[in-house]
């Protein structure tokens, strides 16, 4: 899809909230993932039908994404996270600096969330892996949160774009 | 942002008597090592268990994939080595993601089943969550508000506070409070989807968008600790079979120094003149009927004890009588009609009462209405309003 085609759909998403910080600062404390996801979820959910439960769901999803960037990001540069809304859908755009080798993993993991065997892979990972891989976390979002996931690359950063139809799931 | 909850430790505990392992709180470890202690407790619990082990995740507010995988592995490994054991994961419809995430375990191992617990947690629930209760609640609040608007400031209500109305029903109390006292934030929680839908409709029609109506179980709330200046819970302790459990939750979400305000009835003390005897007979029977379904509509005067036992101090108790003279006598009559319909028309029928009983039962309500509408009559409905402060 080229930029001109994408434009009309993109404009319908209205920006709600965003943060940016030094990657080094972000990586200095694991609890940032929990704190940022809880805070952002609370802020963006207040005008949803069921703010408490929407916030709980959203925080779950966002925390996983932040944990992914915590584990896979490199310390130089900045991490940015923006949340948009269109109707019942929230869009999260998470950008962070990512070394080239990791980038390839992300590309493949994101592509797999759309494959027919996604659920089989997910179950297989739960029953055999010792710890969840990045791939499983993205599968978790696709399967448990009905998320649609895309990747944009803008060296040295990547942007994971996740559409979450949570309003429909929650209420 | 409340930092209290973020750093709040999670709980992972085993109750050997009920063979139940319960996870609660927020579990977001960076690595499995951080939760190794809980994992080994979990493993030991499974080793000890015979038959069925219940895994209770009803109060699990958050669990990241790292923890989910680690705990799942323990269960799945156990399934492979122990054919004699079954696992029942008990999730809640309130914490939606747990249901979605844990159900996969059942697709991997047939020894694991996943249940949603809160479709049935106390005996009278089906009556109270039904739409037939809506007219009752609507007329009741209209009548009690006249009194409560002057009572509430004595119990901690004031502008700018953060408050929660737990078991909010159709949300009319929250709307009235918002208008009269302008709190900074109101969360209104109930477990009846029908009532919440009604509440949201009303709010939309009045252009109100800042009351946070939420679906939840009052005895296992997603709301965080120590958050609210005032927690109100009206006419609801009396319909739980374990009011102390509910009160514990109200205490938990209240800020230290904040107050919990409860209202309850003593139904057998409803009264009227003329036809006092018939009225009294019926309301004595109302109390018995509710106790058949394990609800205590005589709870009002016990409020002081309940609050004290739950750890509150500075307890205030007062009572007021809603009467036919408060406003339009017809409003009072409407409340009684709504009671008659549900109590005699549904609950007594469900208990299996014979038609003669139901007829006499109905007569008392009709006599109460008669008293209310009689030009020289008097009809009353007593209510106890009580609150306690959570110690600092
Ligand atoms: C008697 S009504 C009182 C409603 C409201 N406070 C009022 O005074 O109009 C009791 C309410 O408690 C709600 N309820 C019952 N069990 C509940 C639970 N476990 N969690 C949350 N709400 C519950 C019912 O749905 C019902 O709306």
């Amino acid at each position: 899809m080229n930029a001109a085609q994408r434009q009309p759909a993109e404009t319908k998403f209205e920006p709600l909230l965003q943060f940016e910080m030094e990657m080094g600062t972000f990586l200095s404390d694991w609890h940032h993932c929990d704190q940022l996801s809880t805070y952002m979820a609370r802020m963006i959910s207040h005008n949803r039908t069921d703010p408490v439960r929407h916030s709980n769901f959203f925080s779950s999803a966002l925390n996983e994404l932040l944990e992914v960037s915590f584990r896979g990001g490199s310390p130089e540069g900045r991490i940015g996270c923006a949340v948009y809304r269109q109707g019942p859908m929230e869009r999260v755009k998470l950008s962070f600096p990512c070394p080239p080798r990791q980038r390839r993993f992300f590309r493949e993991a994101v592509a797999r969330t759309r494959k027919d065997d996604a659920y089989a892979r997910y179950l297989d990972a739960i029953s055999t892996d010792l710890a969840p891989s990045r791939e499983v976390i993205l599968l978790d979002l696709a399967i448990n949160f009905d998320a649609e996931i895309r990747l944009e690359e803008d060296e040295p950063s990547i942007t994971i774009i996740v559409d979450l139809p949570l309003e429909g799931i929650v209420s | 942002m409340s930092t209290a909850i973020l750093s709040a430790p999670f709980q992972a505990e085993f109750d050997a008597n009920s063979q139940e392992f319960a996870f609660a709180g927020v579990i977001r470890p960076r690595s499995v090592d951080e939760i190794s202690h809980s994992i080994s407790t979990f493993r030991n619990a499974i080793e000890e268990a015979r038959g069925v082990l219940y895994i209770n995740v009803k109060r699990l507010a958050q669990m990241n994939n790292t923890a989910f995988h680690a705990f799942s592995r323990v269960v799945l490994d156990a399934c492979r080595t122990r054919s004699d054991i079954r696992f029942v994961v008990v999730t809640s419809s309130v914490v939606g993601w747990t249901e979605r995430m844990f159900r996969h375990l059942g697709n991997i191992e047939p020894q694991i089943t996943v249940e949603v617990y809160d479709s049935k947690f106390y005996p009278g629930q089906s009556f109270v969550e039904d739409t037939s209760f809506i007219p009752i609640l609507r007329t009741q609040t209209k009548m009690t508000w006249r009194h409560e608007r002057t009572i509430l400031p004595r119990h901690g209500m004031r502008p700018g506070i953060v408050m929660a109305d737990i078991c909010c029903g159709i949300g009319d109390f929250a709307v009235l409070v918002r208008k009269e006292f302008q709190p900074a934030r109101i969360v209104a929680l109930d477990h009846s989807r029908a009532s919440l839908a009604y509440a949201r409709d009303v709010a939309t029609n009045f252009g109100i968008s800042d009351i946070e109506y939420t679906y939840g179980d009052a005895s296992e709330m997603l709301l965080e600790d120590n958050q609210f200046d005032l927690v109100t819970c009206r006419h609801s302790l009396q319909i739980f079979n374990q009011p102390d459990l509910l009160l514990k939750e109200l205490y938990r979400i209240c800020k230290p120094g904040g107050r919990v305000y409860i209202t309850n009835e003593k139904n057998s003390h409803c009264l009227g003149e003329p036809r006092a005897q018939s009225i009294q007979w019926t309301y004595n029977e109302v109390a018995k009927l509710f106790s058949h379904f394990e609800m205590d509509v005589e709870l009002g005067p016990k409020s002081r004890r309940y609050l004290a036992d739950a750890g509150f101090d500075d307890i205030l108790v007062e009572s007021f009588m809603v009467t036919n003279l408060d406003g339009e006598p017809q409003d009072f009559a409407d409340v009684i009609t709504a009671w008659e319909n549900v109590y005699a028309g549904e609950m007594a029928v469900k208990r299996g009462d014979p038609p003669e009983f139901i007829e006499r039962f109905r007569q008392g309500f009709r006599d109460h209405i008669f008293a209310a509408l009689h030009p020289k009559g008097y009809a009353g409905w007593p209510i106890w309003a009580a609150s306690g402060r959570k110690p600092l």
Side-chain angles (χ1 to χ4, degrees):
Chain A
M1 205 192 285
N2 66 36
Q5 275 173 314
R6 197 165 55 220
Q7 209 52 38
E10 297 281 294
T11 50
K12 283 197 233 143
F13 276 87
E14 62 167 315
L16 295 181
L17 191 64
Q18 66 180 60
F19 79 83
E20 234 193 84
M21 70 201 276
E22 291 296 332
M23 196 62 184
T25 313
F26 176 63
L27 295 179
S28 68
D29 187 353
W30 171 251
H31 293 108
H32 286 150
C33 301
D34 175 46
Q35 288 164 350
L36 287 164
S37 58
T38 305
Y39 181 69
M40 301 230 354
R42 176 81 56 74
M43 296 293 279
I44 64 112
S45 300
H46 76 96
N47 54 358
R48 279 303 194 191
T49 308
D50 190 326
V52 175
R53 295 176 60 240
H54 190 276
S55 165
N56 175 261
F57 245 100
F58 187 84
S59 167
S60 251
L62 183 59
N63 178 64
E64 293 300 337
L65 284 169
L66 292 174
E67 288 191 7
V68 160
S69 60
F70 195 100
R71 295 180 202 276
S74 42
E76 286 81 36
R78 294 175 77 77
I79 175 172
C81 175
V83 184
Y84 303 80
R85 174 174 299 169
Q86 184 197 56
M89 181 94 76
E90 257 84 27
R91 170 171 292 177
V92 178
K93 282 191 180 186
L94 181 68
S95 312
F96 56 95
C98 176
R101 216 159 49 93
Q102 301 266 359
R103 225 173 294 146
R104 208 188 63 226
F105 282 128
F106 275 113
R107 216 176 293 144
E108 286 164 8
V110 167
R112 286 195 192 116
T113 60
R114 281 191 287 270
K115 296 257 168 66
D116 290 342
D117 64 350
Y119 190 56
R121 295 181 79 92
Y122 179 68
L123 288 190
D124 189 53
I126 297 178
S127 37
T128 51
D129 293 357
L130 276 176
S133 62
R134 211 162 328 178
E135 176 185 340
V136 178
I137 289 170
L138 296 181
L139 286 172
D140 161 51
L141 293 175
I143 289 162
N144 297 319
F145 297 83
D146 299 346
E148 290 223 13
I149 309 172
R150 287 185 291 131
L151 189 72
E152 281 177 4
E153 300 184 44
D154 181 14
E155 260 181 76
S157 288
I158 58 167
T159 302
I160 307 179
I161 302 167
V162 183
D163 287 347
L164 295 158
L166 297 185
E167 178 74 343
I169 301 178
V170 168
S171 304
Chain B
M1 168 166 45
S2 138
T3 42
I5 183 68
L6 303 178
S7 51
F10 71 90
Q11 293 104 46
E13 287 164 1
F14 183 52
D15 177 353
N17 291 327
S18 53
Q19 293 218 125
E20 180 179 89
F21 199 92
F23 293 98
V26 176
I27 312 182
R28 288 173 164 175
R30 180 171 181 179
S31 73
V32 180
D33 299 343
E34 277 172 44
I35 51 170
S36 59
H37 178 73
S38 304
I39 290 176
S40 57
T41 318
F42 190 38
R43 208 172 266 133
N44 293 341
I46 295 176
E47 235 149 66
E48 231 182 87
R50 298 284 170 271
V52 180
L53 181 83
Y54 292 89
I55 302 172
N56 172 345
V57 295
K58 295 189 292 195
R59 305 188 63 141
L60 182 56
Q62 295 291 352
M63 177 181 260
N64 68 2
N65 269 296
T66 302
F68 177 72
H69 273 247
F71 288 112
S72 297
R73 273 308 293 264
V74 176
V75 178
L76 294 168
D77 287 348
C79 288
R80 282 160 207 163
T81 53
R82 297 260 312 266
S83 56
D84 62 307
I85 195 166
R86 278 202 318 115
F87 295 93
V88 176
V89 182
V90 188
T91 69
S92 140
S93 65
V94 174
V95 194
W97 63 266
T98 51
E99 197 183 336
R100 289 184 145 234
M101 200 142 162
F102 281 93
R103 72 170 179 216
H104 306 304
L105 299 180
N107 293 342
I108 296 173
E109 284 291 343
Q111 276 161 265
I112 306 171
T113 46
V114 180
E115 285 174 6
V116 183
Y117 89 103
D118 51 357
S119 48
K120 214 172 97 195
F121 36 51
Y122 64 95
Q125 185 175 11
S126 57
F127 301 115
V128 191
E129 291 196 3
D130 202 50
T131 42
S132 52
F133 236 74
I134 289 178
I136 296 195
L137 300 182
R138 201 173 40 203
T139 26
Q140 279 190 174
T141 307
K142 189 170 162 193
M143 299 296 283
T144 54
W145 179 248
R146 291 195 181 93
H147 300 265
E148 285 186 271
R149 64 187 295 189
T150 57
I151 290 174
L152 280 161
R154 294 198 279 278
H155 296 262
M157 180 69 82
R158 53 179 197 282
I161 59 169
V162 175
M163 67 163 287
D165 186 33
I166 305 305
C167 300
C168 66
I170 55 171
D172 41 3
F173 178 73
V175 170
L176 291 164
V177 160
R178 176 183 172 279
K179 183 153 180 274
E180 179 92 12
F181 296 102
Q182 284 120 33
R185 179 176 179 216
I186 309 185
V187 173
L189 177 145
D190 203 279
H191 198 270
S192 159
R193 293 188 194 269
S195 294
L196 284 173
Y198 186 97
R200 291 190 180 112
D201 272 358
V202 171
T204 310
N205 291 341
F206 283 92
I208 298 171
S209 59
D210 53 358
I211 297 176
E212 299 174 36
Y213 289 109
T214 184
Y215 170 71
D217 171 8
S219 56
E220 311 258 5
M221 291 188 281
L222 260 185
L223 300 171
E224 295 152 13
D225 299 356
N226 306 323
Q227 261 205 79
F228 298 99
D229 300 300
L230 180 64
V231 179
T232 58
C233 180
R234 301 170 52 265
H235 298 282
S236 296
L237 236 45
Q238 59 182 33
I239 57 151
F240 278 80
N241 55 339
Q242 290 173 290
D244 44 334
L245 272 189
L246 176 52
L247 205 48
K248 212 169 141 190
E249 272 292 273
L250 304 180
Y251 183 94
R252 181 181 68 75
I253 64 171
C254 182
K255 278 186 193 162
R259 297 190 76 87
V260 170
Y261 167 87
I262 56 176
T263 66
N264 292 283
E265 300 165 59
K266 182 172 174 76
N267 250 282
S268 66
H269 281 207
C270 283
L271 51 84
E273 283 290 350
R275 305 191 180 172
Q277 274 189 334
S278 154
I279 296 169
Q280 197 177 8
W281 183 85
T282 284
Y283 285 99
N284 274 322
E285 291 301 325
V286 169
K288 288 185 211 158
L289 177 62
F290 272 80
S291 81
H292 175 81
F293 295 105
E294 295 181 45
M295 296 184 257
D296 182 10
V297 287
E298 300 286 277
L299 194 143
K302 302 171 194 166
S303 305
R304 185 176 176 213
R305 169 167 64 79
Y306 274 114
L307 287 167
D309 289 351
F312 291 95
D313 62 16
D314 189 27
I315 295 167
L316 298 175
V317 184
E318 53 189 304
S319 61
F320 61 93
M321 179 87 81
V322 173
T323 81
N324 60 330
L325 303 182
D326 288 352
E328 281 299 309
Q330 190 58 48
D331 286 348
F332 193 96
D334 288 346
V335 172
I336 312 305
T337 304
W339 288 351
E340 183 190 339
N341 290 340
V342 176
Y343 304 170
E346 293 180 26
M347 294 174 67
V349 173
K350 177 83 178 277
R351 184 171 59 170
D353 292 342
E356 318 82 75
F357 174 87
I358 293 183
E359 189 41 40
R360 188 176 171 197
F361 192 40
R362 280 188 184 278
Q363 191 55 49
F365 293 115
R366 291 179 194 142
D367 288 336
H368 206 194
I369 293 172
F370 181 81
L373 299 179
H374 193 284
K376 294 180 196 167
Y378 183 80
W381 167 38
I383 291 164
W384 278 259
S387 71
R389 186 183 62 166
K390 177 168 174 175
L392 282 168

